[in-house]
Amino acid sequence: MPHKAVRYVLRSTSSAAGTFASAAGTVAAAALAASIILSPTAAASARMDGVHTDLLRAVQLNQITEEQAARFEAKLAGRILGEA
């Protein structure tokens, strides 16, 4: 097989493999998005428990103050519990 033909076959195979990997990644991303969209939403109280836990951890790590955490939790409680 001439050298140019071998190079063309290798380049075509490499291109096809890249296209297949890209398509597989797209399918995986679409499946993940669908699972997130179709999953049931957590109850408002469970969401607030998660918010409280996250804010408590942020305070322990000195990322925010206790006062900031309390204000933010109150704001989110109004939004989350208002939806329920």
Side-chain angles (χ1 to χ4, degrees):
M1 189 182 276
H3 185 65
K4 284 186 178 182
V6 171
R7 192 178 327 162
Y8 175 76
V9 169
L10 291 176
R11 196 175 322 145
S12 297
T13 305
S14 175
S15 177
T19 301
F20 179 75
S22 177
T26 302
V27 169
L32 177 63
S35 70
I36 291 171
I37 292 170
L38 298 176
S39 65
T41 58
S45 61
R47 291 173 67 190
M48 284 308 302
D49 288 342
V51 166
H52 180 75
T53 302
D54 290 344
L55 290 173
L56 181 62
R57 180 154 173 81
V59 169
Q60 290 171 347
L61 294 172
N62 294 322
Q63 294 174 331
I64 58 174
T65 65
E66 289 182 25
E67 293 79 19
Q68 290 171 322
R71 283 195 312 262
F72 190 66
E73 187 172 357
K75 184 185 288 187
L76 285 179
R79 290 181 182 175
I80 291 172
L81 299 175
E83 293 173 2

